[in-house]
Amino acid sequence: MSAAEEVIQEVFIRLWHRPEKFDPERGSLRSFLLAQAHGRAVDLLRAESSRRRREEREARSTATSGYDLEHEVWDLTVADHVKEALSGLPDEERRAIELAYFGGHTYREVAVLLDQPEGTVKSRIRAGLKRMRSKLADSGVAGP
Amino acid sequence: MNAPEGDVPSRLSHAEIEALLGSYALDAVDGPEAEAVELHLLECPRCRAEVAQHREVAALLGNVGTPAPDRLWDRIAASLEEAPPDLRLAAVPEPRRGPKAIRGRLRVGLAATAAAAAVVIGLLAFQVNRLDNRVNNLAQATPEHGLSQVATAAVLDPQARRVDLRSPQGNQSVQGVVLPNGNGYLVKVDLRPLPARQTYQLWAVTGSRQVSLGVLGADPQQTAFSLGSPSGVGTLVVTVEPAGGVTSTTNPAVVSGVLS
């Protein structure tokens, strides 16, 4: 079984056993699971020590902040809008976000990979996410 | 800020934290820095709101993936030791698709791992496990006179835990209290009256179990119930069922709330 499949399986089984970890008040189950799966996937890629720290943090607070997506009907068109918003970013912002999110790298690693200062990478990730959000809000995919 | 991992100042300035928020939302901040951000988020609503917005975009990024193999879902389903429960809980929309339809839409890829969670809409049922058959009629079990005084006393009990059950739109609600001995009271019930052929039914969700707490009738007022051992119970839920109640349900929650 691939690592990706293991992560998905683990996330679903965790929800099965600990349904109270999901708080509907904080947003959709979908975005909750997406965030969980991403966090788990990133853990797999990183050192044991970082996984342990995450688990300790999760044990301290059941709900991490910020799953505030409105409950929405999700559709294939969402993926199209997201791809479009991503490809519309300035190249350096898009690269930084791709390496961090899809590559599972820390911003420090992204800085090394792109041979750019860490501060620059941090700002590009943040600015790129804001830009994407505003585009996705225009197309009605993200909240205003 | 160029401190190597393990050498992060214990207090980062607001501006330093802010600069990290985008990376943090993508799980791209590690170690003590991540902990510093989390501590800050506990006390800063503005930064919390920003992270929430970034997380929304991150969740959307999870949609950009390739379809997962069919066998993945089969394996997940097979690994859950019990038959899928059939109570859909919580203030969430009705599932749009059944598991079959979803199967083809699963997505993976490491990119991706995240994206596979696309199936969730059909899996709300996972929030619930086994159903006990403890359906009883509380209205008959509790002498009607005197309940109000008992309920009032319970509300005033400093050890009482409160629960505020609300509907998704917020237009229906039930307020309850649970005493340490497990006795509970629905003290303020604001539910739309039902036709005589239907009834409201109260359920408790513990970590791994789903238990009926009783049938409330078509136009419930103050009611007593018992949780048995209240420590594990997290959530109370009310559903609409055929008169007489049911031992298991496929109906969504009318109101739900978490015990404080």
Side-chain angles (χ1 to χ4, degrees):
Chain A
M1 171 160 47
S2 74
E5 291 177 34
E6 270 178 51
V7 167
I8 300 306
Q9 186 163 348
E10 185 193 335
V11 166
F12 277 102
I13 292 170
R14 273 160 60 98
L15 176 65
W16 176 273
H17 289 298
R18 304 293 307 278
E20 72 280 5
K21 290 269 176 186
F22 168 64
D23 177 1
E25 303 271 302
R26 285 172 174 267
S28 71
L29 184 55
R30 180 194 183 87
S31 57
F32 172 78
L33 285 181
L34 283 165
Q36 291 269 312
H38 189 259
R40 286 278 145 193
V42 160
D43 282 346
L44 267 188
L45 297 176
R46 295 189 192 152
E48 177 67 21
S49 64
S50 102
R51 171 164 43 237
R52 209 166 45 237
R53 271 198 297 268
R54 171 187 293 275
E55 282 167 0
E56 283 164 7
R57 291 202 305 273
E58 280 185 356
R60 283 204 297 272
S61 68
T62 54
T64 51
S65 61
Y67 304 113
D68 78 335
L69 260 187
E70 287 300 308
H71 306 131
E72 287 174 84
V73 179
W74 288 71
D75 213 343
L76 285 174
T77 56
V78 171
D80 290 338
H81 283 300
V82 174
K83 281 180 194 159
E84 197 183 305
L86 188 61
S87 61
L89 291 180
D91 279 353
E92 59 273 20
E93 289 177 5
R94 182 180 50 77
R95 283 300 291 151
I97 288 174
E98 283 174 347
L99 285 169
Y101 186 80
F102 296 115
H105 295 287
T106 64
Y107 78 89
R108 290 176 198 275
E109 292 166 348
V110 174
V112 173
L113 290 167
L114 294 179
D115 194 23
Q116 287 166 353
E118 290 177 353
T120 308
V121 168
K122 276 188 283 190
S123 337
R124 284 183 178 157
I125 289 176
R126 186 167 173 229
L129 287 175
K130 284 184 177 172
R131 209 187 301 277
M132 276 193 76
R133 184 181 166 78
S134 124
K135 280 194 187 179
L136 290 168
D138 288 347
S139 50
V141 175
Chain B
M1 227 214 38
N2 286 311
E5 187 180 340
D7 185 25
V8 176
S10 57
R11 294 293 296 181
L12 297 178
S13 72
H14 193 271
E16 284 168 325
I17 295 280
E18 238 179 7
L20 283 167
L21 295 181
S23 307
Y24 174 80
L26 298 187
D27 296 307
V29 180
D30 216 355
E33 250 184 348
E35 287 173 30
V37 173
E38 275 153 30
L39 285 177
H40 177 82
L41 291 178
L42 289 177
E43 55 195 31
C44 180
R46 203 175 81 198
C47 287
R48 273 206 301 275
E50 180 174 334
V51 168
Q53 295 193 338
H54 292 324
R55 289 261 193 210
E56 184 179 358
V57 176
L60 287 163
L61 281 169
N63 283 281
V64 185
T66 53
D70 280 354
R71 64 169 194 281
L72 175 57
W73 172 247
D74 293 338
R75 200 161 40 224
I76 292 172
S79 68
L80 304 171
E81 64 277 14
E82 294 170 29
D86 48 13
L87 175 65
R88 282 195 300 272
L89 260 200
V92 287
E94 290 281 306
R96 260 57 175 196
R97 322 173 183 88
K100 270 223 169 87
I102 283 160
R103 200 174 287 172
R105 291 176 46 94
L106 266 171
R107 296 132 188 277
V108 179
L110 174 44
T113 25
V119 266
V120 296
I121 292 174
L123 297 176
L124 298 174
F126 277 21
Q127 291 181 69
V128 179
N129 290 3
R130 204 147 41 77
L131 251 164
D132 266 8
N133 295 345
R134 292 205 288 140
V135 175
N136 48 0
N137 193 323
L138 292 167
Q140 286 170 7
T142 313
E144 224 161 293
H145 63 276
L147 178 59
S148 180
Q149 284 139 314
V150 181
T152 306
V155 172
L156 298 174
D157 188 322
Q159 288 190 292
R161 296 161 76 200
R162 282 156 204 286
V163 56
D164 195 359
L165 295 84
R166 293 200 169 273
S167 60
Q169 289 79 30
N171 52 354
Q172 298 193 85
S173 65
V174 174
Q175 286 163 24
V177 291
V178 177
L179 297 175
N181 65 8
N183 286 344
Y185 304 89
L186 301 182
V187 290
K188 186 164 184 301
V189 180
D190 183 13
L191 295 169
R192 208 173 295 124
L194 296 170
R197 63 179 190 283
Q198 292 183 313
T199 181
Y200 288 103
Q201 188 165 348
L202 178 67
W203 308 84
V205 183
T206 64
S208 57
R209 296 200 325 158
Q210 186 71 18
V211 179
S212 170
L213 296 178
V215 177
L216 304 177
D219 187 9
Q221 309 298 322
Q222 278 193 345
T223 305
F225 62 91
S226 174
L227 280 181
S229 89
S231 54
V233 173
T235 306
L236 297 184
V237 170
V238 174
T239 58
V240 174
E241 305 299 343
V246 293
T247 56
S248 68
T249 180
T250 53
N251 293 332
V254 177
V255 294
S256 66
V258 178
L259 266 171
S260 64

